Amino acid sequence: MISDRKLEHILLCTHYDVEYKKDTGFKDVEFVHNALTQVDTEEIDLSIELLGKELQSPIMITAITGGHPIAFRINKALAKAAEKLGIGLGVGSQRAGIEDPSLEATYTIAREEAPSTLLIGNIGAPQIEYAEAAVEMIDADALAIHLNPLQESIQPGGDINSSGLLDSIKRIVENIKVPVLVKETGAGICAEDARRLEEIGVAAIDVAGAGGTSWAAVETYRAEEKHLGRLYWDWGIPTAASTVEVAQTVKIPVIASGGIRSGLDAAKAIALGADAVGIALPVLKVAQKSYREVINVIGRFNESLKVAMYLVGARNIEELKKAPIVIKGETRTWLRERGFNTSKYARRQRY
């Protein structure tokens, strides 16, 4: 049954409108143009270190799929591209492969094709007993614990009992040897939750904010009764706002994902405080064609990211984090109402 659901998710995300109607909030974020940029584009360095791995770009492929035979080809293409480009890769929830060993290959192919790059496993927070098996299955460098209360609320037969959730995450952190990151699945993470996660030892947070794929939308297509899914289609914290909430609250690495659709979006997320940026839907579709298509998509992201860095005078990602930006509109309103100082991002230098 889980395997069939995985197939439905892939097909729906590939062929149907499953994105938020509201946007990520990045339209409210603008860089201050540097007309006197003194950067040589050829010397711009995109490399970062994340969870103990050196990566060639802050653009990473966040959790997508696994658990159905069709996912084998997708994860093979994604992993092959990730290894060639030296970027991070996350697999989808590994529950299906743990409960049905015949599906393991749809996950293990990732490490076979990407022997050296950052590979991140994936389980749900209640699945404490699966944590070690998930890491061992793909020789993961880190383990992601996904949070999906919105999806479970809309999904037919979803698990809507989250009692002891934080304690479950804490026990996983304490009992496995690799770093644990926590990621939402499209509804964002707020400052208060980020602080709680840092306090229990989580190594990184992927905000996975609202504005990209809406799992309420995905589950709306699967449900016989469409009312709840349509009502909550746009639920969540926009990615730009969530990135600021988390980055201004914790000291652990922050990954911004959720509707990142260009290198310019990525640059804005990094200037807001993200250490890396995750994409999923843009590569899910092309991975079904070939790994070369995945490389082309990531290449375009990297190219447009470099243009943004050139235009603000940033030679590397650390300098990009210091680039002045102005936050306007609804994102500014959200952040100010939540008590965050948006003026600090203008970073005006006095002469």
Side-chain angles (χ1 to χ4, degrees):
M1 189 171 76
I2 295 175
S3 181
D4 290 343
R5 187 167 73 239
K6 298 294 185 186
L7 175 60
E8 286 184 86
H9 288 163
I10 292 170
L11 294 175
L12 288 169
C13 288
T14 303
H15 300 292
Y16 286 74
D17 175 17
V18 294
E19 296 196 61
Y20 277 81
K21 304 287 191 294
K22 69 178 181 182
D23 63 48
T24 59
F26 288 118
K27 67 176 178 57
D28 293 329
V29 179
E30 290 200 32
F31 281 104
V32 177
H33 176 60
N34 184 346
L36 291 175
T37 182
Q38 298 183 68
V39 171
D40 180 349
T41 305
E42 296 299 319
E43 295 179 358
I44 289 177
D45 180 8
L46 298 181
S47 67
I48 64 167
E49 181 180 336
L50 182 66
L51 299 172
K53 284 277 189 174
E54 294 286 340
L55 303 176
Q56 297 305 305
S57 168
I59 310 295
M60 60 184 294
I61 301 169
T62 51
I64 293 182
T65 192
H68 187 278
I70 195 175
F72 178 88
R73 185 174 75 251
I74 295 171
N75 277 340
K76 181 176 182 178
L78 294 174
K80 195 171 182 179
E83 179 73 13
K84 186 174 182 63
L85 295 170
I87 62 172
L89 169 67
V91 299
S93 173
Q94 293 173 256
R95 177 183 172 186
I98 293 170
E99 294 184 352
D100 182 355
S102 71
L103 297 171
E104 276 192 16
T106 67
Y107 301 97
T108 57
I109 186 61
R111 181 51 90 194
E112 291 171 21
E113 294 291 338
S116 65
T117 199
L118 174 66
L119 184 60
I120 303 172
N122 189 333
I123 60 169
Q127 299 155 12
I128 300 172
E129 69 277 18
Y130 292 167
E132 190 172 344
V135 173
E136 292 179 355
M137 180 191 295
I138 62 171
D139 187 24
D141 298 297
L143 179 66
I145 299 173
H146 67 262
L147 308 175
N148 62 341
L150 173 61
Q151 181 183 8
E152 296 288 357
S153 297
I154 311 302
Q155 180 175 286
D159 181 3
I160 51 175
N161 179 3
S162 294
S163 300
L165 180 70
L166 195 62
D167 185 58
S168 294
I169 297 172
K170 186 173 186 288
R171 289 167 63 188
I172 293 171
V173 169
E174 293 172 344
N175 287 285
I176 66 168
K177 297 178 181 179
V178 300
V180 172
L181 67 95
V182 169
K183 69 180 303 296
E184 236 289 341
T185 51
I189 292 178
C190 67
E192 295 86 348
D193 288 342
R195 183 177 292 109
R196 294 185 185 103
L197 292 170
E198 184 179 41
E199 287 173 351
I200 63 171
V202 167
I205 294 173
D206 181 347
V207 305
T213 301
S214 166
W215 284 94
V218 174
E219 297 299 345
T220 299
Y221 291 111
R222 297 185 61 243
E224 291 185 14
E225 172 53 57
K226 312 293 186 184
H227 171 69
L228 276 179
R230 288 169 178 160
L231 183 63
Y232 287 95
W233 189 296
D234 274 348
W235 177 275
I237 307 170
T239 302
S242 185
T243 299
V244 172
E245 290 222 5
V246 177
Q248 284 203 24
T249 303
V250 302
K251 295 180 180 178
I252 56 178
V254 176
I255 301 166
S257 67
I260 304 290
R261 296 293 181 259
S262 70
L264 179 55
D265 285 343
K268 291 178 179 181
I270 291 167
L272 289 173
D275 297 282
V277 177
I279 62 172
L281 192 62
V283 290
L284 170 62
K285 296 179 178 181
V286 299
Q288 296 171 65
K289 299 176 182 178
S290 75
Y291 84 95
R292 293 181 182 85
E293 293 289 334
V294 178
I295 289 174
N296 289 339
V297 168
I298 303 295
R300 287 194 293 271
F301 269 79
N302 284 339
E303 181 182 11
S304 54
L305 172 57
K306 282 186 175 182
V307 170
M309 293 173 68
Y310 172 67
L311 293 175
V312 299
R315 295 174 177 81
N316 53 52
I317 299 303
E318 287 304 313
E319 290 185 3
L320 178 58
K321 288 182 181 182
K322 300 173 185 176
I325 53 177
V326 175
I327 301 175
K328 308 181 300 181
E330 294 179 5
T331 302
R332 182 175 183 269
T333 299
W334 174 293
L335 292 171
R336 291 217 163 184
E337 289 298 310
R338 289 279 291 155
F340 292 95
N341 177 11
T342 56
S343 297
K344 64 176 285 185
Y345 290 99
R347 300 172 177 127
R348 185 168 179 265
Q349 297 181 8
R350 299 188 182 276
Y351 296 96

